[in-house]
Amino acid sequence: MTAKETILAGTNGEPHAAPSSPGKRAALDFGKAWSYAPAPEAADHVRIEPRYELFIGGKWTAPSSGKYFDTVSPSTEQKLAEVAEANERDVDLAVKAARVGYEKYWSKLSGIERGKYIYRIARVIQEKARELAIVETMDGGKPIKESRDVDLPLVAAHFFYYAGWADKLAYAFPGRSPRPLGVAGQVIPWNFPLLMAAWKLAPALAAGNTCVLKPAETTPLTALLLAKIIEECDLPPGVVNVVTGAGATGAAVVAHPDVDKVAFTGSTDVGKRIQKALSGTRKKLTLELGGKAANIVFADAPLDQAVEGIISGIFFNQGHVCCAGSRLLVEEGAYEPLMQKLRDRMQTLRVGDPLDKNTDVGAINSKMQLDKIRELVLAGEREGATRFSTPCELPERGYWFAPTLFTGVSQSHRIAREEIFGPVLAVMTFRTPEEAIEKANNTMYGLSAGVWTDKGSKSFWVSQRLRAGVVWANTYNKFDPSSPFGGYKESGFGREGGRQGLLPYLEVD
């Protein structure tokens, strides 16, 4: 532990009052007040198959290479299942099946008939919501209350929403003639596996396209359970295909010559490679990439409300959120009271078993991601920032990182410039709205931002000057299927959600 690191912990990780210098308030001593009895979500009714194949042409197909890989629970490091590893031949079969499904079935259905299928998917997702939430938590590490109360309702809502658009495409773009593109290749990340699948599949299907979906190799299970739901809903063969594997599988989907549209959510580096690979081709492309969002708090903001927004903005899903508010910009007049409130609130966060309904911060998704977080935190300490990590006892097995913030951060620090994708907050100050805007926009990213003030005119004035695709005012991380989401600069291009989310999957004359 370095001299710059402030970690308050007593016996067994219990919070205690830090020694206080004259004129400074000691940290709150919560003692046993925040101790909760375990409240684990029962998982004995959830059946995870020992092995999962590829879903191609409406059938479960063994990989042509015969290779499988393990998917592991990040909270226990225990193997959950073996998953098929698709190679180029398997991807080719999936794309061919999608082309047949498009030409023979999906493109011949009326919009209202397509909508019925999508609506049916949404209803079955609702029926199986508890099972899906548990598997999402086991495979990805996020707290069950987030999977249950945020992810699954949004997944169903997206399918319901786009089911309604399926027979109204002419009204979505008045005076123009929208037509489906054909086959969409979709590559999704590991932080919101099922929700990202819904964001990709629902608008593509509503627009009349067929899909080849490639989930992340660390979180493939809920995409495969979604394939089972699609099978149960009797969608025509080839309309949705799911191929699992690592980066090579995704690259094969992107590069396949018979794919008409590519949609990718993931890192900026991979997004750049995809854009380069597709340049000069006829394929349409949307990219939703990284972010380094600024959460701006003015002195006139309701500070208690802002603290809750800051906590939600950076510690939701362990900070594994592309739009996480990982940079906190605080007006100097509010800095001291806000930081005291924020540190006190952080000490109430419960870190541990993601299947426990009391858990606030779950497991880091993988060892590779944990190593990246540790590397950037160490860089922050070496560059002179002051670290505060919450006092908590981390489980012995699994991948864990305590909620952390840094003060004394400058714009040049790596933790202020690079996407950490973990529960780490970089705090900076400003004096004027103009300085806040300049600091907020001083990043290669432009995905999201937050503004906290009790002046409506100020929030509008600041929001209009932020180069971010989504700006929340006096809230954070609020999503709705009718609201478009996407970024600027190196955060990608194109929009997902809302009427605008249909456009990437249509040819509009």
Side-chain angles (χ1 to χ4, degrees):
M1 187 180 298
T2 70
K4 289 287 185 181
E5 182 178 7
T6 306
I7 303 180
L8 306 178
T11 305
N12 296 324
E14 288 294 331
H16 65 81
S20 58
S21 57
K24 290 189 176 180
R25 186 170 74 87
L28 293 180
D29 183 357
F30 294 107
K32 298 290 185 179
W34 294 100
S35 296
Y36 283 72
E41 179 75 33
D44 52 358
H45 64 287
V46 176
R47 174 170 170 75
I48 297 178
E49 302 290 344
R51 172 175 286 187
Y52 287 90
E53 311 291 358
L54 308 172
F55 187 65
I56 298 175
K59 298 179 180 179
W60 294 95
T61 306
S64 58
S65 65
K67 293 182 179 179
Y68 294 81
F69 63 93
D70 294 342
T71 184
V72 175
S73 171
S75 62
T76 63
E77 299 181 60
Q78 293 180 346
K79 174 182 171 181
L80 296 174
E82 289 183 351
V83 179
E85 183 176 347
N87 58 19
E88 288 189 12
R89 182 180 176 187
D90 299 312
V91 170
D92 181 59
L93 291 173
V95 174
K96 288 178 177 176
R99 179 61 63 186
V100 171
Y102 173 73
E103 294 179 350
K104 188 175 180 180
Y105 303 110
W106 206 240
S107 64
K108 297 185 183 304
L109 289 177
S110 65
I112 195 168
E113 292 300 319
R114 292 199 305 270
K116 289 178 182 178
Y117 279 111
I118 301 169
Y119 185 86
R120 192 181 301 169
I121 293 171
R123 288 298 303 271
V124 177
I125 287 171
Q126 285 187 322
E127 292 169 6
K128 299 178 181 291
R130 186 180 177 195
E131 174 190 357
L132 291 168
I134 291 171
V135 175
E136 192 82 318
T137 288
M138 293 174 67
D139 203 23
K142 66 175 62 184
I144 184 63
K145 64 183 180 183
E146 294 179 5
S147 299
R148 179 195 64 203
D149 299 340
V150 180
D151 289 30
L152 263 298
L154 280 173
V155 169
H158 271 80
F159 279 103
F160 277 127
Y161 177 78
Y162 283 108
W165 271 118
D167 65 335
K168 303 176 185 68
L169 299 179
Y171 299 98
F173 308 99
R176 305 171 75 180
S177 301
R179 304 185 310 279
L181 299 173
V183 176
Q186 302 168 319
V187 182
I188 59 175
W190 46 258
N191 55 337
F192 291 92
L194 192 56
L195 182 57
M196 291 298 101
W199 279 26
K200 297 290 189 290
L201 291 174
L205 295 175
N209 302 278
T210 55
C211 303
V212 177
L213 180 74
K214 206 294 282 186
E217 64 270 25
T218 60
T219 53
L221 292 185
T222 47
L224 292 164
L225 293 183
L226 179 59
K228 287 182 177 292
I229 289 173
I230 288 167
E231 183 182 32
E232 181 180 331
C233 292
D234 290 326
L235 264 71
V239 172
V240 175
N241 306 272
V242 179
V243 290
T244 47
T249 306
V253 172
V254 169
H256 196 284
D258 201 29
V259 167
D260 303 297
K261 153 76 181 165
V262 173
F264 172 78
T265 297
S267 71
T268 296
D269 288 342
V270 175
K272 287 179 177 178
R273 294 202 295 270
I274 290 174
Q275 187 175 15
K276 183 178 180 181
L278 298 189
S279 61
T281 70
R282 59 177 176 79
K283 298 178 184 179
K284 291 188 71 172
L285 173 66
T286 52
L287 298 173
E288 198 267 275
L289 308 176
K292 194 69 180 175
N295 219 348
I296 305 171
V297 180
F298 287 94
D300 60 6
L303 295 188
D304 290 325
Q305 180 182 341
V307 165
E308 294 306 312
I310 294 163
I311 293 290
S312 171
I314 185 57
F315 300 127
F316 176 72
N317 196 27
Q318 300 78 253
H320 298 334
V321 187
C322 51
C323 57
S326 54
R327 290 183 299 151
L328 177 60
L329 304 181
V330 186
E331 190 169 1
E332 286 185 356
Y335 178 77
E336 290 296 337
L338 181 72
M339 293 310 298
Q340 185 63 60
K341 290 175 180 290
L342 182 57
R343 288 191 180 96
D344 289 347
R345 179 67 177 89
M346 286 175 61
Q347 292 184 62
T348 70
L349 295 174
R350 298 175 293 276
V351 183
D353 179 10
L355 279 174
D356 192 315
K357 292 184 280 287
N358 293 320
T359 296
D360 298 304
V361 180
I364 302 303
N365 182 264
S366 65
K367 186 178 185 302
M368 181 184 301
Q369 185 59 30
L370 179 60
D371 291 341
K372 178 186 176 183
I373 295 169
R374 286 172 171 167
E375 175 197 348
L376 286 167
V377 166
L378 183 60
E381 294 176 325
R382 286 174 176 169
E383 291 176 337
T386 301
R387 174 183 172 185
F388 170 83
S389 291
T390 58
C392 56
E393 186 175 359
L394 301 179
E396 293 183 1
R397 291 186 63 82
Y399 313 125
W400 309 91
F401 200 87
T404 296
L405 66 78
F406 279 95
T407 54
V409 178
S410 74
Q411 294 278 82
S412 62
H413 285 171
R414 287 183 65 191
I415 55 175
R417 292 183 291 108
E418 298 182 27
E419 185 179 35
I420 301 174
F421 224 61
V424 181
L425 179 65
V427 184
M428 294 171 278
T429 60
F430 65 90
R431 293 183 177 179
T432 66
E434 291 78 9
E435 182 185 359
I437 292 166
E438 183 177 355
K439 285 186 173 180
N441 289 336
N442 184 21
T443 174
M444 66 182 182
Y445 299 109
L447 189 56
S448 60
V451 180
W452 298 84
T453 173
D454 71 351
K455 304 292 191 298
S457 58
K458 184 189 290 184
S459 65
F460 277 111
W461 187 87
V462 173
S463 298
Q464 290 168 357
R465 288 160 177 78
L466 292 173
R467 294 292 293 166
V470 177
V471 180
W472 288 287
N474 292 334
T475 187
Y476 208 89
N477 273 344
K478 298 297 183 184
F479 296 94
D480 188 273
S482 63
S483 179
F485 181 86
Y488 293 102
K489 299 187 284 188
E490 294 196 12
S491 289
F493 50 82
R495 294 294 181 265
E496 294 181 307
R499 180 179 62 88
Q500 295 85 348
L502 293 165
L503 191 57
Y505 294 97
L506 292 168
E507 194 73 51
V508 181
D509 296 333

